Amino acid sequence: MHKGAVSTARHRQLLVAIVAIVFIAVASVLAGLVAGSIGTITSTADRIDDRRATHAAASALQALRKQLGATVRDNAYWDEAFAQVSSDARVEWTYENWGSTSADYPLYDTAIVVDGHDQPIIAYRNGEPMEISPDQFFDGFDALLKAARQTSTADAVPVHFVRSLAGTALIGAAMIQPSTIDPAMKPDAFGVLVFAKHITPDVVAEVSESFNIAGLSLDPLPVPGRLSAALQDVSGKEVAVFNWPSEAPGTKSYAMVDKNLRMAGIILVLFLCGIGLVGGVTIRNLQASESRARHRSLHDSLTGLLNRAGLIESVTGALARAKANGSTVVLHFIDLDGFKGVNDAWGHAVGDELIVEVARRLKETMPEDAFSARLGGDEFAVVTVEDPHQRQRTDIGQDIQAALASVFEISGRTIEIGGSVGVALSPSGSVETGELIRRADVALYRAKDLGRGVTVAFEDSFDDESSRQADLEVKLRAALSNGSIDVSFQPFVDAKSGAISGVESLARWVTETGVTISPEVFIPVAERSGLIDILGLQILRKSLEAAVAWPDITLGVNVSPLQLKNPRFVAQVKSVLQATGFDPSRLSIELTEGVLISNPDQARRAIDGLKAAGIKIALDDFGAGFASIGTLRQFGFDRMKVDRSLIVALDHDQNAGAVLQATIALAVAFDIPVTAEGIETEEQAMAVRLSGCDALQGFLFSRPISAQEVTALYFVDREQPASLHRSRKAVPQSARG
Ligand code: C2E
Ligand code: MG
Ligand code: MG
């Protein structure tokens, strides 16, 4: 995995972690909310009940006071009581009515009556006379009497809690008075009635029951952790305290459902864990399938190398790193030589095996940090990175060539291929991906143009060259549309007689500005731009139209290998023959060996078609390539033309004569007549004649000349046979070297 992939994996892990954290946080917040809500419900319920109980306690105290207050008042504000208290029978009467009642009356347990000077008339407690004087028995007794005397009939009588020697009591007092008071009466004419009720355990129990306050107790002080209500004296001071425990209904309710809630919580946690687990597994699966899909989208299924998209991504990554560290990214484009032939000859299964083997060799040969790609078909790419601080590496192009040059053993077959390599460099990432790929492509194109097994590194001049080519293409298109490409003819002569035995047509292009462009320049342009079919046909037509005038000699017409790719080629040639009325047996199509090697089946089909139509086939430029006569013979050539390079070599290479001789002798042995091209000197002419060539061509005899000049020459030659050979005078001066 390279850096890009690692960082995406890290990003993904981070994402998963964040999602998990968010998930847990949301779950915790939810759990918190639920717990909080339950807590609030519980404490609110508890608080409401506490308030109710506190309120009930207060009401109970209030009720006790009111009850005692009303009792005291009812008994004291009484005409008869007033009269009796002032009479002599006051002791008996007050005892009868109040003192005795204190024995078992539920509303008070103590009854005290004092006269106008606060002297007790009677003091009874629980039906018995009190042994201790009331002001000693009850705290603040005198103050109570005073308050009672000061209370008007409209006001509530004073009632409050006090401490007594017997405990805590509720005590109330009222002045004994008639319904109408004579303002002339002195204060000492009035007695005071005092009732007291001790807050006994029975009283506490009764309050507890009537006011629904469970666990109520009377204590001197508040009990921590319990609810309480103070029993206060006349000045608001705490005398004693009612304490009771909080009922806490919320807490109790909660306790009842607590188990269920816990169970629900556990189930929820398990459920969430389940979801998390399933989610995790799903995310993992998704990641795995995503990375598989990503791998597929970036790799070639046959070889496992990167594909074009993968190459672009990897090169872009390498360039980014090169920008940072100053290294040089080197892109090699590789095109296999002769792969199509393998496919055609052995089928696609063998072709595929070969591709896999090539991929394996590339991987083996390349440095470890290099990466390889298959761009489709038989095109590969290798990217290497050169450290700026290290010595330049060995030439990778050379290594690739070497890897591809040794034979492949595929399914028991021995297959020989090779490769062309185009190289482009991006020092410190200065050339961006798209441009780098374009440069490697241009360099590869060059390499293929130069022939097999060549490595070409991109140069800036290639771009000038290709813009020149583009410019030329535009001009060529125009020249073809107005038919301004012309033909000239170069005669060849019979080796023995010297008579003209034929002519070869050669394309000629003089531009509108008068510049002559060589066919060696514009034919490749036509081939590259797809104009070769039109150009070839125009040349064929013009050549035939001119050559019908020279009925006895042959006409050689050069044909580009690419023309043979056109399935209608043979039919087109036939139709031009027909249109011009040209004898097919006089036409000789000149082919170079390249097409026979790269596309043998295609070449054979076309050659067979032409031969079936009676047309002759000549192998042009023989000896310039690598193919042996043995290989080429099977195509059934009618003639071979020995390349000028072999002739030129005669002058400076001692072995050249022997090579030439052997080559010609072999062809002759196979019964193939041989023409020698490019003869410029008598010596050369002599040498090839002796070697067995039956036809000679070259500036010695004639340069390429116009149709009119050929016509003139042709008829001179008819009248004076072998004039080219015998007398140079016959050849127009302009045509000779
Ligand atoms: P080629 O078919 O081998 O043609 C022979 C070339 O050698 C011609 O060059 C001719 O002018 C030149 N030549 C002939 N005798 C001598 C000599 O004694 N000394 C020297 N130095 N050169 C000699 P040209 O016309 O420039 O054509 C070059 C090549 O372009 C041809 O080689 C042929 O391959 C191609 N070509 C020319 N016309 C056509 C055409 O109409 N169609 C196609 N497809 N190719 C053409
Ligand atoms: Mg030729
Ligand atoms: Mg030639």
Side-chain angles (χ1 to χ4, degrees):
M1 224 186 320
H2 65 88
K3 278 184 191 163
V6 172
S7 84
T8 14
R10 252 186 225 144
H11 273 132
R12 261 194 232 124
Q13 280 168 0
L14 197 69
L15 196 73
V16 169
I18 289 171
V19 168
I21 289 169
V22 168
F23 192 74
I24 290 167
V26 168
S28 309
V29 166
L30 277 178
L33 279 175
V34 170
S37 302
I38 290 172
T40 307
I41 291 170
T42 308
S43 64
T44 306
D46 288 355
R47 223 172 25 246
I48 288 172
D49 193 70
D50 288 352
R51 233 184 287 151
R52 177 206 60 82
T54 309
H55 190 74
S59 301
L61 293 176
Q62 185 70 15
L64 285 174
R65 290 162 77 150
K66 265 195 175 164
Q67 204 177 40
L68 189 71
T71 308
V72 174
R73 190 188 170 101
D74 285 352
N75 282 274
Y77 296 4
W78 185 13
D79 289 318
E80 195 192 339
F82 178 69
Q84 290 293 346
V85 168
S86 313
S87 74
D88 289 338
R90 58 184 183 240
V91 173
E92 291 77 25
W93 193 87
T94 53
Y95 170 73
E96 263 325 298
N97 279 279
W98 299 320
S100 60
T101 324
S102 70
D104 52 6
Y105 198 53
L107 295 183
Y108 52 85
D109 56 40
T110 306
I112 299 162
V113 182
V114 297
D115 64 11
H117 300 283
D118 291 348
Q119 290 308 306
I121 297 169
I122 57 159
Y124 276 85
R125 198 166 99 77
N126 298 326
E128 299 290 327
M130 289 175 70
E131 286 163 6
I132 300 163
S133 80
D135 62 336
Q136 284 177 347
F137 191 79
F138 290 108
D139 281 358
F141 187 75
D142 294 340
L144 177 72
L145 295 180
K146 204 171 163 195
R149 287 185 188 286
Q150 283 168 357
T151 304
S152 77
T153 48
D155 294 331
V157 298
V159 176
H160 51 78
F161 290 96
V162 289
R163 256 193 260 275
S164 79
L165 294 179
T168 303
L170 181 64
I171 194 165
M175 200 167 72
I176 302 166
Q177 52 195 289
S179 47
T180 42
I181 297 173
D182 183 354
M185 285 165 76
K186 295 207 175 113
D188 58 8
F190 300 99
V192 172
L193 174 62
V194 177
F195 285 159
K197 180 181 169 73
H198 279 83
I199 312 299
T200 59
D202 284 352
V203 173
V204 173
E206 199 187 309
V207 169
S208 169
E209 195 186 311
S210 322
F211 288 87
N212 190 19
I213 308 168
L216 190 69
S217 65
L218 184 71
D219 304 295
L221 289 168
V223 177
R226 292 196 160 203
L227 297 170
S228 61
L231 279 62
Q232 293 167 329
D233 71 3
V234 66
S235 60
K237 236 175 73 196
E238 204 170 89
V239 175
V241 180
F242 270 163
N243 286 304
W244 70 97
S246 170
E247 287 253 336
T251 307
K252 282 181 191 152
S253 307
Y254 175 75
M256 278 158 70
V257 296
D258 184 33
K259 248 194 202 159
N260 290 351
L261 281 177
R262 271 176 209 279
M263 186 63 85
I266 289 169
I267 291 172
L268 184 69
V269 166
L270 288 178
F271 179 67
L272 289 180
C273 287
I275 287 181
L277 213 68
V278 170
V281 169
T282 310
I283 287 174
R284 256 175 174 276
N285 288 346
L286 278 177
Q287 279 176 347
S289 84
E290 191 202 310
S291 79
R292 272 199 302 275
R294 210 183 122 69
H295 189 271
R296 264 201 305 277
S297 75
L298 296 179
H299 289 81
D300 172 50
S301 56
L302 181 61
T303 60
L305 300 182
L306 295 170
N307 60 16
R308 188 173 284 272
L311 176 78
I312 289 173
E313 199 180 286
S314 301
V315 167
T316 306
L319 289 177
R321 290 190 290 280
K323 272 179 200 164
N325 64 18
S327 56
T328 296
V329 176
V330 188
L331 174 60
H332 308 78
F333 269 9
I334 303 148
D335 188 279
L336 302 185
D337 297 326
F339 174 71
K340 206 180 167 299
V342 172
N343 245 352
D344 290 349
W346 310 110
H348 287 280
V350 173
D352 282 357
E353 272 186 70
L354 178 61
I355 290 292
V356 171
E357 189 56 25
V358 166
R360 203 183 57 76
R361 281 198 193 172
L362 285 180
K363 269 191 267 184
E364 265 179 11
T365 320
M366 292 305 106
E368 225 160 71
D369 56 348
F371 43 90
S372 317
R374 178 176 174 228
L375 307 178
D378 60 345
E379 282 181 46
F380 292 84
V382 168
V383 180
T384 54
V385 178
E386 284 174 3
D387 191 323
H389 309 299
Q390 270 175 14
R391 203 169 48 81
Q392 285 286 101
R393 294 197 192 162
T394 49
D395 188 352
I396 302 286
Q398 219 64 58
D399 295 350
I400 294 171
Q401 302 277 6
L404 298 179
S406 52
V407 293
F408 289 84
E409 302 286 348
I410 308 279
S411 307
R413 299 185 176 87
T414 302
I415 298 175
E416 261 182 272
I417 53 161
S420 307
V421 183
V423 186
L425 279 74
S426 180
S428 307
S430 56
V431 180
E432 294 298 344
T433 311
E435 174 62 9
L436 191 64
I437 287 176
R438 188 192 69 81
R439 290 186 180 185
D441 218 19
V442 169
L444 176 62
Y445 206 93
R446 281 273 169 151
K448 285 203 283 192
D449 252 12
L450 291 177
R452 323 171 107 215
V454 182
T455 298
V456 171
F458 178 85
E459 288 167 22
D460 288 338
S461 66
F462 290 2
D463 278 342
D464 307 342
E465 174 63 18
S466 49
S467 75
R468 210 173 62 81
Q469 298 269 326
D471 185 47
L472 215 55
E473 185 188 320
V474 172
K475 289 195 179 124
L476 181 62
R477 225 172 261 280
L480 284 175
S481 68
N482 57 38
S484 59
I485 306 281
D486 223 332
V487 280
S488 62
F489 297 90
Q490 186 178 30
F492 36 90
V493 300
D494 183 84
K496 289 200 185 86
S497 66
I500 300 178
S501 56
V503 289
E504 175 182 4
S505 82
L506 293 160
R508 289 292 175 262
W509 181 19
V510 182
T511 63
E512 280 176 350
T513 50
V515 180
T516 301
I517 297 170
S518 159
E520 271 161 337
V521 173
F522 70 82
I523 295 289
V525 171
E527 284 174 340
R528 260 175 233 143
S529 55
L531 296 170
I532 191 65
D533 285 347
I534 306 169
L535 176 64
L537 271 184
Q538 278 192 14
I539 289 163
L540 181 67
R541 184 179 298 275
K542 284 190 181 179
S543 306
L544 295 187
E545 278 168 356
V548 276
W550 319 311
D552 297 338
I553 59 172
T554 59
L555 169 70
V557 175
N558 294 289
V559 161
S560 153
L562 288 185
Q563 286 178 264
L564 301 191
K565 285 198 171 167
N566 179 357
R568 289 174 40 241
F569 174 66
V570 175
Q572 284 172 341
V573 173
K574 284 199 234 172
S575 93
V576 178
L577 281 168
Q578 212 158 27
T580 49
F582 196 88
D583 174 7
S585 66
R586 287 213 289 132
L587 178 61
S588 172
I589 296 289
E590 296 192 8
L591 291 174
T592 48
E593 67 178 43
V595 63
L596 311 177
I597 307 302
S598 64
N599 271 316
D601 290 346
Q602 213 165 47
R604 196 184 304 276
R605 253 194 312 277
I607 289 170
D608 290 349
L610 292 171
K611 289 187 71 127
I615 299 163
K616 305 264 179 334
I617 310 291
L619 178 62
D620 204 354
D621 300 343
F622 182 70
F626 303 101
S628 67
I629 291 188
T631 313
L632 299 173
R633 201 168 68 93
Q634 47 173 318
F635 291 96
F637 289 106
D638 299 293
R639 178 166 287 279
M640 283 194 179
K641 297 183 73 175
V642 175
D643 192 62
R644 200 172 82 83
S645 58
L646 295 190
I647 311 296
V648 171
L650 286 176
D651 297 341
H652 49 77
D653 185 347
Q654 288 183 347
N655 295 327
V659 172
L660 184 70
Q661 243 175 346
T663 305
I664 296 168
L666 202 58
V668 171
F670 283 130
D671 245 0
I672 304 174
V674 181
T675 303
E677 297 184 295
I679 306 297
E680 293 183 351
T681 64
E682 290 289 358
E683 293 72 32
Q684 291 169 345
M686 185 65 74
V688 294
R689 228 183 258 126
L690 288 175
S691 300
C693 288
D694 68 341
L696 311 179
Q697 189 182 15
F699 293 172
L700 177 65
F701 309 104
S702 171
R703 282 180 175 265
I705 52 178
S706 70
Q708 293 90 325
E709 287 174 313
V710 175
T711 304
L713 206 58
Y714 176 78
F715 287 110
V716 170
D717 202 43
R718 293 302 105 177
E719 285 152 24
Q720 294 175 291
S723 64
L724 281 183
H725 179 64
R726 275 204 312 257
S727 155
R728 303 258 181 87
K729 270 181 214 147
V731 182
Q733 206 57 45
S734 64
R736 264 202 264 135

mmCIF file of all heavy atoms in Angstrom, residues 500 546-553 707-723 730:
data_model
loop_
_atom_site.group_PDB
_atom_site.id
_atom_site.type_symbol
_atom_site.label_atom_id
_atom_site.label_comp_id
_atom_site.label_asym_id
_atom_site.label_seq_id
_atom_site.Cartn_x
_atom_site.Cartn_y
_atom_site.Cartn_z
ATOM 1 N N ILE A 500 15.689 0.203 -71.656
ATOM 2 C CA ILE A 500 14.765 0.499 -70.561
ATOM 3 C C ILE A 500 13.808 -0.677 -70.412
ATOM 4 O O ILE A 500 13.076 -1.005 -71.349
ATOM 5 C CB ILE A 500 13.951 1.769 -70.839
ATOM 6 C CG1 ILE A 500 14.881 2.974 -71.020
ATOM 7 C CG2 ILE A 500 12.957 2.031 -69.711
ATOM 8 C CD1 ILE A 500 14.155 4.253 -71.344
ATOM 9 N N ALA A 546 -0.100 7.756 -66.960
ATOM 10 C CA ALA A 546 1.090 8.124 -67.744
ATOM 11 C C ALA A 546 1.692 6.891 -68.427
ATOM 12 O O ALA A 546 2.074 6.933 -69.599
ATOM 13 C CB ALA A 546 2.114 8.787 -66.837
ATOM 14 N N ALA A 547 1.711 5.787 -67.673
ATOM 15 C CA ALA A 547 2.454 4.613 -68.150
ATOM 16 C C ALA A 547 1.738 3.830 -69.254
ATOM 17 O O ALA A 547 2.350 2.968 -69.887
ATOM 18 C CB ALA A 547 2.776 3.699 -66.971
ATOM 19 N N VAL A 548 0.423 4.102 -69.445
ATOM 20 C CA VAL A 548 -0.249 3.413 -70.575
ATOM 21 C C VAL A 548 0.417 3.779 -71.904
ATOM 22 O O VAL A 548 0.351 3.031 -72.876
ATOM 23 C CB VAL A 548 -1.779 3.717 -70.688
ATOM 24 C CG1 VAL A 548 -2.592 2.840 -69.787
ATOM 25 C CG2 VAL A 548 -2.061 5.177 -70.436
ATOM 26 N N ALA A 549 1.121 4.918 -71.928
ATOM 27 C CA ALA A 549 1.776 5.377 -73.143
ATOM 28 C C ALA A 549 3.038 4.574 -73.465
ATOM 29 O O ALA A 549 3.612 4.725 -74.541
ATOM 30 C CB ALA A 549 2.112 6.857 -73.018
ATOM 31 N N TRP A 550 3.517 3.745 -72.456
ATOM 32 C CA TRP A 550 4.767 2.996 -72.693
ATOM 33 C C TRP A 550 4.457 1.500 -72.592
ATOM 34 O O TRP A 550 4.791 0.839 -71.604
ATOM 35 C CB TRP A 550 5.819 3.389 -71.650
ATOM 36 C CG TRP A 550 5.829 4.888 -71.353
ATOM 37 C CD1 TRP A 550 5.856 5.877 -72.267
ATOM 38 C CD2 TRP A 550 5.783 5.503 -70.069
ATOM 39 N NE1 TRP A 550 5.827 7.107 -71.673
ATOM 40 C CE2 TRP A 550 5.784 6.905 -70.292
ATOM 41 C CE3 TRP A 550 5.746 5.049 -68.751
ATOM 42 C CZ2 TRP A 550 5.740 7.831 -69.258
ATOM 43 C CZ3 TRP A 550 5.716 5.972 -67.750
ATOM 44 C CH2 TRP A 550 5.708 7.351 -67.981
ATOM 45 N N PRO A 551 3.797 0.937 -73.656
ATOM 46 C CA PRO A 551 3.199 -0.389 -73.550
ATOM 47 C C PRO A 551 4.171 -1.551 -73.286
ATOM 48 O O PRO A 551 3.766 -2.573 -72.766
ATOM 49 C CB PRO A 551 2.507 -0.576 -74.899
ATOM 50 C CG PRO A 551 3.033 0.489 -75.792
ATOM 51 C CD PRO A 551 3.587 1.579 -74.956
ATOM 52 N N ASP A 552 5.460 -1.413 -73.589
ATOM 53 C CA ASP A 552 6.320 -2.584 -73.487
ATOM 54 C C ASP A 552 7.053 -2.735 -72.161
ATOM 55 O O ASP A 552 7.716 -3.747 -71.949
ATOM 56 C CB ASP A 552 7.399 -2.531 -74.593
ATOM 57 C CG ASP A 552 6.749 -2.587 -75.968
ATOM 58 O OD1 ASP A 552 5.605 -3.083 -76.032
ATOM 59 O OD2 ASP A 552 7.378 -2.112 -76.924
ATOM 60 N N ILE A 553 6.996 -1.723 -71.330
ATOM 61 C CA ILE A 553 7.835 -1.801 -70.117
ATOM 62 C C ILE A 553 6.979 -1.909 -68.850
ATOM 63 O O ILE A 553 5.788 -1.591 -68.847
ATOM 64 C CB ILE A 553 8.779 -0.572 -69.997
ATOM 65 C CG1 ILE A 553 7.978 0.730 -69.945
ATOM 66 C CG2 ILE A 553 9.772 -0.549 -71.157
ATOM 67 C CD1 ILE A 553 8.808 1.949 -69.647
ATOM 68 N N ALA A 707 6.978 12.417 -66.904
ATOM 69 C CA ALA A 707 6.341 11.479 -67.826
ATOM 70 C C ALA A 707 6.724 11.805 -69.268
ATOM 71 O O ALA A 707 7.022 10.899 -70.060
ATOM 72 C CB ALA A 707 4.835 11.525 -67.645
ATOM 73 N N GLN A 708 6.743 13.118 -69.616
ATOM 74 C CA GLN A 708 7.073 13.513 -70.996
ATOM 75 C C GLN A 708 8.497 13.073 -71.340
ATOM 76 O O GLN A 708 8.758 12.573 -72.443
ATOM 77 C CB GLN A 708 6.966 15.048 -71.179
ATOM 78 C CG GLN A 708 5.554 15.569 -71.060
ATOM 79 C CD GLN A 708 5.208 15.951 -69.615
ATOM 80 O OE1 GLN A 708 5.670 15.296 -68.666
ATOM 81 N NE2 GLN A 708 4.409 16.991 -69.454
ATOM 82 N N GLU A 709 9.378 13.254 -70.361
ATOM 83 C CA GLU A 709 10.772 12.866 -70.602
ATOM 84 C C GLU A 709 10.876 11.356 -70.802
ATOM 85 O O GLU A 709 11.640 10.889 -71.655
ATOM 86 C CB GLU A 709 11.651 13.312 -69.430
ATOM 87 C CG GLU A 709 11.866 14.810 -69.411
ATOM 88 C CD GLU A 709 12.618 15.302 -68.186
ATOM 89 O OE1 GLU A 709 12.251 14.881 -67.055
ATOM 90 O OE2 GLU A 709 13.537 16.114 -68.341
ATOM 91 N N VAL A 710 10.068 10.614 -70.021
ATOM 92 C CA VAL A 710 10.088 9.149 -70.188
ATOM 93 C C VAL A 710 9.593 8.807 -71.589
ATOM 94 O O VAL A 710 10.190 7.982 -72.290
ATOM 95 C CB VAL A 710 9.220 8.438 -69.134
ATOM 96 C CG1 VAL A 710 9.156 6.939 -69.420
ATOM 97 C CG2 VAL A 710 9.768 8.680 -67.735
ATOM 98 N N THR A 711 8.497 9.484 -71.988
ATOM 99 C CA THR A 711 7.929 9.210 -73.318
ATOM 100 C C THR A 711 8.992 9.433 -74.403
ATOM 101 O O THR A 711 9.198 8.575 -75.266
ATOM 102 C CB THR A 711 6.714 10.131 -73.578
ATOM 103 O OG1 THR A 711 5.782 9.928 -72.520
ATOM 104 C CG2 THR A 711 6.041 9.795 -74.903
ATOM 105 N N ALA A 712 9.693 10.577 -74.309
ATOM 106 C CA ALA A 712 10.730 10.893 -75.292
ATOM 107 C C ALA A 712 11.798 9.804 -75.294
ATOM 108 O O ALA A 712 12.151 9.236 -76.336
ATOM 109 C CB ALA A 712 11.347 12.244 -74.961
ATOM 110 N N LEU A 713 12.228 9.475 -74.084
ATOM 111 C CA LEU A 713 13.276 8.477 -73.910
ATOM 112 C C LEU A 713 12.827 7.112 -74.437
ATOM 113 O O LEU A 713 13.577 6.401 -75.109
ATOM 114 C CB LEU A 713 13.580 8.384 -72.418
ATOM 115 C CG LEU A 713 14.952 7.931 -71.983
ATOM 116 C CD1 LEU A 713 16.018 8.851 -72.575
ATOM 117 C CD2 LEU A 713 15.022 7.984 -70.454
ATOM 118 N N TYR A 714 11.576 6.806 -74.138
ATOM 119 C CA TYR A 714 11.015 5.508 -74.492
ATOM 120 C C TYR A 714 11.080 5.298 -76.002
ATOM 121 O O TYR A 714 11.503 4.249 -76.479
ATOM 122 C CB TYR A 714 9.572 5.442 -73.988
ATOM 123 C CG TYR A 714 8.829 4.179 -74.368
ATOM 124 C CD1 TYR A 714 9.043 2.979 -73.667
ATOM 125 C CD2 TYR A 714 7.934 4.163 -75.433
ATOM 126 C CE1 TYR A 714 8.372 1.821 -74.024
ATOM 127 C CE2 TYR A 714 7.256 3.016 -75.791
ATOM 128 C CZ TYR A 714 7.471 1.842 -75.067
ATOM 129 O OH TYR A 714 6.801 0.699 -75.421
ATOM 130 N N PHE A 715 10.679 6.358 -76.760
ATOM 131 C CA PHE A 715 10.646 6.170 -78.214
ATOM 132 C C PHE A 715 12.040 6.193 -78.826
ATOM 133 O O PHE A 715 12.316 5.457 -79.756
ATOM 134 C CB PHE A 715 9.680 7.165 -78.866
ATOM 135 C CG PHE A 715 8.250 6.767 -78.572
ATOM 136 C CD1 PHE A 715 7.455 7.509 -77.719
ATOM 137 C CD2 PHE A 715 7.735 5.590 -79.112
ATOM 138 C CE1 PHE A 715 6.160 7.112 -77.428
ATOM 139 C CE2 PHE A 715 6.438 5.193 -78.823
ATOM 140 C CZ PHE A 715 5.640 5.951 -77.978
ATOM 141 N N VAL A 716 12.931 6.999 -78.234
ATOM 142 C CA VAL A 716 14.327 6.957 -78.683
ATOM 143 C C VAL A 716 14.851 5.540 -78.488
ATOM 144 O O VAL A 716 15.472 4.938 -79.349
ATOM 145 C CB VAL A 716 15.188 7.962 -77.887
ATOM 146 C CG1 VAL A 716 16.667 7.738 -78.174
ATOM 147 C CG2 VAL A 716 14.809 9.382 -78.246
ATOM 148 N N ASP A 717 14.521 5.021 -77.318
ATOM 149 C CA ASP A 717 15.001 3.692 -76.953
ATOM 150 C C ASP A 717 14.442 2.626 -77.903
ATOM 151 O O ASP A 717 15.110 1.636 -78.203
ATOM 152 C CB ASP A 717 14.579 3.379 -75.506
ATOM 153 C CG ASP A 717 15.479 2.304 -74.917
ATOM 154 O OD1 ASP A 717 16.709 2.393 -75.138
ATOM 155 O OD2 ASP A 717 14.962 1.391 -74.243
ATOM 156 N N ARG A 718 13.156 2.847 -78.339
ATOM 157 C CA ARG A 718 12.567 1.871 -79.256
ATOM 158 C C ARG A 718 13.330 1.884 -80.594
ATOM 159 O O ARG A 718 13.546 0.859 -81.195
ATOM 160 C CB ARG A 718 11.096 2.203 -79.557
ATOM 161 C CG ARG A 718 10.118 2.076 -78.395
ATOM 162 C CD ARG A 718 10.075 0.714 -77.787
ATOM 163 N NE ARG A 718 10.795 0.779 -76.483
ATOM 164 C CZ ARG A 718 10.902 -0.231 -75.661
ATOM 165 N NH1 ARG A 718 10.370 -1.397 -75.939
ATOM 166 N NH2 ARG A 718 11.568 -0.098 -74.539
ATOM 167 N N GLU A 719 13.676 3.152 -80.995
ATOM 168 C CA GLU A 719 14.368 3.248 -82.287
ATOM 169 C C GLU A 719 15.826 2.831 -82.174
ATOM 170 O O GLU A 719 16.385 2.159 -83.009
ATOM 171 C CB GLU A 719 14.304 4.698 -82.819
ATOM 172 C CG GLU A 719 12.924 5.036 -83.365
ATOM 173 C CD GLU A 719 12.628 6.515 -83.253
ATOM 174 O OE1 GLU A 719 13.565 7.320 -83.202
ATOM 175 O OE2 GLU A 719 11.419 6.859 -83.160
ATOM 176 N N GLN A 720 16.433 3.284 -81.066
ATOM 177 C CA GLN A 720 17.848 2.946 -80.853
ATOM 178 C C GLN A 720 17.946 2.152 -79.571
ATOM 179 O O GLN A 720 18.224 2.703 -78.500
ATOM 180 C CB GLN A 720 18.683 4.218 -80.698
ATOM 181 C CG GLN A 720 18.747 5.050 -81.939
ATOM 182 C CD GLN A 720 19.498 6.319 -81.601
ATOM 183 O OE1 GLN A 720 18.999 7.141 -80.859
ATOM 184 N NE2 GLN A 720 20.686 6.471 -82.140
ATOM 185 N N PRO A 721 17.690 0.862 -79.611
ATOM 186 C CA PRO A 721 17.624 0.069 -78.385
ATOM 187 C C PRO A 721 18.891 0.223 -77.526
ATOM 188 O O PRO A 721 19.979 0.444 -78.043
ATOM 189 C CB PRO A 721 17.498 -1.361 -78.901
ATOM 190 C CG PRO A 721 16.981 -1.231 -80.296
ATOM 191 C CD PRO A 721 17.502 0.044 -80.837
ATOM 192 N N ALA A 722 18.678 0.108 -76.246
ATOM 193 C CA ALA A 722 19.767 0.133 -75.256
ATOM 194 C C ALA A 722 20.555 1.439 -75.239
ATOM 195 O O ALA A 722 21.738 1.449 -74.939
ATOM 196 C CB ALA A 722 20.711 -1.039 -75.480
ATOM 197 N N SER A 723 19.820 2.514 -75.576
ATOM 198 C CA SER A 723 20.509 3.802 -75.617
ATOM 199 C C SER A 723 20.990 4.251 -74.245
ATOM 200 O O SER A 723 22.031 4.868 -74.103
ATOM 201 C CB SER A 723 19.603 4.864 -76.223
ATOM 202 O OG SER A 723 18.493 5.039 -75.358
ATOM 203 N N ALA A 730 21.435 9.838 -74.889
ATOM 204 C CA ALA A 730 19.998 9.600 -74.983
ATOM 205 C C ALA A 730 19.270 10.078 -73.735
ATOM 206 O O ALA A 730 18.095 10.392 -73.758
ATOM 207 C CB ALA A 730 19.726 8.127 -75.185
#
